[in-house]
Amino acid sequence: LLQLTKKLIEIRSVLLSVDQSDALKLPSIVVIGSQSSGKSSVLEAIVGHEFLPKGDNMVTRRPIELTLIHSPPSAPSSSTTPSEYGFFPGMPHLGRITSFSTIQKTLTDLNLAVPSDQAVSDDPIHLHIHSPHVPDLTMIDLPGYIQLSSMDQPDALKENINALCDKYIREPNIILAVCAADVDLANSPALRASRRVDPLGTRTIGVVTKMDLVKPEHGASILRGDRYPLHLGYVGVVCKAPPTFGGVLTTIRGEKPNVTGAVLKREEEVFGGENAKYFRPRGVGEKRIMVGTDTLRKQLMHVLESSMGASLHGITNAVQLELEEASYQFKVQYNDRRITSESYVAETVDALKARFKEYTSQFTKPAVRSKLKAMLDERVMNILEQLYWNDPRTPELGKLAEDRKLTADELDAYWKYKLETASSLLTKSGVGRDSTALVADGLRGLIDGLATGEPFSYHPDAAARIIEFSHAILRERMGLTADQVENCIKPYKYEVEVDDREWALGRDRAEEGFKEEMKRCEAKLTEIRGRVGGGRRLGGLVNFVDGLEKAEEQRRRRRVSPDNENGEEEEAKGPDQLVEAYKYSPAQIIDGRHALLLTNRLMLLKLRHQALKSRRCRSGPDSAPFCPEAFLSTVADKLAYTSTMFINIELLEQFFYQFPREIDSRILYQLDRAELKKFATENPKIRAHLELQERKDKLEQVMRSLQGLANLQADVAGSNTKR
Ligand code: GDP
């Protein structure tokens, strides 16, 4: 009435999920026996159904942890809640299985899934059976002991089975040692194993099967247990009906009938009637002889209940200790902060959005504009180099600028044409495409950074999804944006109007740019000077290289000149040069050539810098052909400004709007409960947190139940003594 067993069985299930260590184990009944001793038949007789894997060579390969739950029969009208069904807690998706054939098939499949080279696995299959016809029991079915290894069984099988059984028959479990009546008990591996771990037989019940195969008097003598006494005794059973029985009663749906009736009938034949006299005590004081599956069932319930009752105190203490430890750890490690998978996912997504928002400050209009400007400035420098710095006439331009009387209109068409070329090189350099790509690359880098940093490093799937959808948005927007930008800068390809203020700013910037460029050249020269070994040595080297180059130039001219008809090659190097050539290594010659180039470049830059500062260049936009640098800088600035405006509207604003929404719809709302949990536990810190929290919760729950039981027990004991 206390339903102690039932409650402790529930507690046992929870404890099993908390940990597998022996400390928190409540007793269970472990069924051992040699192959074909009738082990499966006994279990099926107790359950009332055939449900265990059968067939040739079908040894149980994994322990089956069977939890029988006595449930009241459901009202006939309520078809939705079956009263008799099986449930695999490890495979909740299978739901409640009402067909025992399906249970049998599932167990067979699980059995076959164990690779044959592994022989047996010690990973148990958990199966709950709810039924009005079963008592509350937990039983573990183990692979049967092999007595003679047959050819097709791996050698390791026997050893592995022994080891597996040894693991399960430890305290506090109750051992159900199954032996067949027609085999000498001395040969029973089950009894031998049990005697090793339980010499007094205080937690072993002997089950003698196949009692129909021996004469009743012989059967009764076995059950008296005189030869191998067991404190809990032997129970004799007959579990298999005559073979014709099962076949006839198979119902139309192919479902096997309940075996209980058949078993009881068979047992009545064997133990009742004429035979009953053999199974009565022979004299006063002799113990009752136990026969029948009904008796076995009651005996099991009784033994399990008292064993559970005896463990109550110990397990309560053990759980208390575990709970204290878990609570302490929870306090110390997490300051008692509770989390859920949902809260973690929500926080992660919020943090991602917040960080994204923070990062978007890198993409304000001024920031984008200055990036684009830098890109275009570099382009301007390249154009200047190509068109002006490499042109030997360029120094002339400075002198022309000094001529106050010469107006821009009167300037040689050569320079005006050059300026137009430079301007159109710049405006037609694919600014739309390149500026959009530059900004999109920046965004991609930002997203990739977010997706690969913590905590997304723990969530590779989510990270891949973020990268995928954000790249998709960018891809989609890029073409459009580039076209827009290109369209809007189109007028500049024909004409660029510059006012005085813009000119002044452009000139200032160009001056700055030249200063930078000169610094770069000087830095490089200093570097080479250091390598070559000082200024004087570099001077010598540059002179030498200059001489070489001039000579080469002369030779080239002479070779192509019509005067040199006889094609004579004059020796260009004088004796001095020959001597000097040995002073420098090939690497130094290369350095020398670079230094020469840089020196010439620097000279030119200085000239142009001077020109930029001149009165002429300060005079205004009309002086553009004299000061192409200032003009191009102004154009670059206009291009940057216009590009920024359209990139901002078409690309950035769209992306900033879409990205957080996509996160919600593709990450947050897309995950179901199981995926939320998977996501959360991908992060090891969160997994540890959740595990400890869950462990603590379960231990608390168990502790409450245990205390309830202890109180109940005390009450009952109290009222018993009062009576
Ligand atoms: P297990 O290998 O130990 O699980 O044994 P089974 O339950 O599969 O039984 C082995 C064989 O013994 C089967 O052919 C059963 O039909 C038969 N068997 C089991 N119990 C009895 C019984 O009480 N009487 C008889 N005559 N045969 C039985």
Side-chain angles (χ1 to χ4, degrees), residues 165-449:
C165 292
D166 281 353
K167 184 178 150 190
Y168 273 90
I169 59 179
R170 288 199 290 244
E171 283 197 273
N173 285 341
I174 298 152
I175 304 167
L176 200 68
V178 180
C179 336
D182 58 344
V183 178
D184 188 355
L185 287 202
N187 292 333
S188 159
L191 281 178
R192 215 174 304 140
S194 128
R195 251 197 311 273
R196 248 189 305 116
V197 292
D198 176 31
L200 299 179
T202 51
R203 53 186 184 93
T204 305
I205 304 174
V207 175
V208 183
T209 58
K210 311 191 188 179
M211 286 291 287
D212 55 330
L213 298 184
V214 294
K215 292 216 176 73
E217 50 268 48
H218 175 56
S221 87
I222 300 174
L223 297 184
R224 278 193 200 97
D226 295 339
R227 275 176 71 194
Y228 304 102
L230 289 177
H231 186 70
L232 298 176
Y234 288 88
V235 185
V237 295
V238 183
C239 289
K240 220 59 185 187
T244 48
F245 207 97
V248 176
L249 272 195
T250 301
T251 59
I252 320 146
R253 271 177 298 143
E255 197 54 47
K256 304 222 174 82
N258 188 301
V259 298
T260 315
V263 166
L264 287 180
K265 194 166 163 248
R266 188 87 182 106
E267 286 184 334
E268 178 55 32
E269 284 165 23
V270 176
F271 303 124
E274 275 293 292
N275 293 343
K277 60 176 184 284
Y278 298 106
F279 300 102
R280 279 192 213 110
R282 288 172 302 189
V284 264
E286 200 196 68
K287 271 207 301 190
R288 189 173 62 96
I289 296 178
M290 295 184 284
V291 289
T293 39
D294 241 2
T295 310
L296 174 61
R297 219 180 264 151
K298 288 197 190 103
Q299 176 72 348
L300 291 179
M301 285 164 71
H302 169 71
V303 171
L304 188 62
E305 172 149 314
S306 56
S307 167
M308 288 255 189
S311 335
L312 190 57
H313 185 68
I315 202 82
T316 308
N317 284 343
V319 170
Q320 178 69 36
L321 278 178
E322 287 293 319
L323 176 59
E324 276 165 15
E325 174 64 18
S327 305
Y328 172 76
Q329 289 298 340
F330 195 62
K331 171 90 193 151
V332 173
Q333 290 185 38
Y334 306 112
N335 198 19
D336 283 338
R337 196 171 68 90
R338 299 190 64 85
I339 56 166
T340 60
S341 305
E342 288 82 352
S343 69
Y344 171 68
V345 175
E347 270 170 35
T348 308
V349 165
D350 280 352
L352 174 66
K353 286 190 210 162
R355 206 152 342 129
F356 173 71
K357 192 146 188 201
E358 202 178 292
Y359 281 6
T360 55
S361 60
Q362 297 169 12
F363 290 86
T364 56
K365 267 197 266 179
V368 171
R369 195 171 151 190
S370 94
K371 278 214 186 73
L372 295 186
K373 189 68 205 317
M375 177 185 93
L376 291 168
D377 278 348
E378 203 181 306
R379 218 162 266 195
V380 167
M381 283 299 181
N382 286 339
I383 292 170
L384 286 174
E385 172 167 13
Q386 196 182 325
L387 290 185
Y388 289 90
W389 302 345
N390 290 339
D391 183 344
R393 282 181 67 182
T394 295
E396 276 171 39
L397 192 61
K399 297 219 177 60
L400 291 170
E402 279 162 25
D403 182 352
R404 299 253 184 106
K405 276 179 233 132
L406 185 69
T407 64
D409 282 341
E410 292 158 0
L411 186 66
D412 193 324
Y414 178 81
W415 297 111
K416 283 191 252 177
Y417 177 71
K418 215 170 199 55
L419 183 68
E420 264 169 39
T421 312
S423 175
S424 86
L425 267 181
L426 181 59
T427 53
K428 292 178 186 165
S429 64
V431 175
R433 184 195 56 218
D434 296 347
S435 59
T436 308
L438 184 76
V439 177
D441 279 349
L443 285 175
R444 250 194 299 259
L446 180 157
I447 298 298
D448 294 355

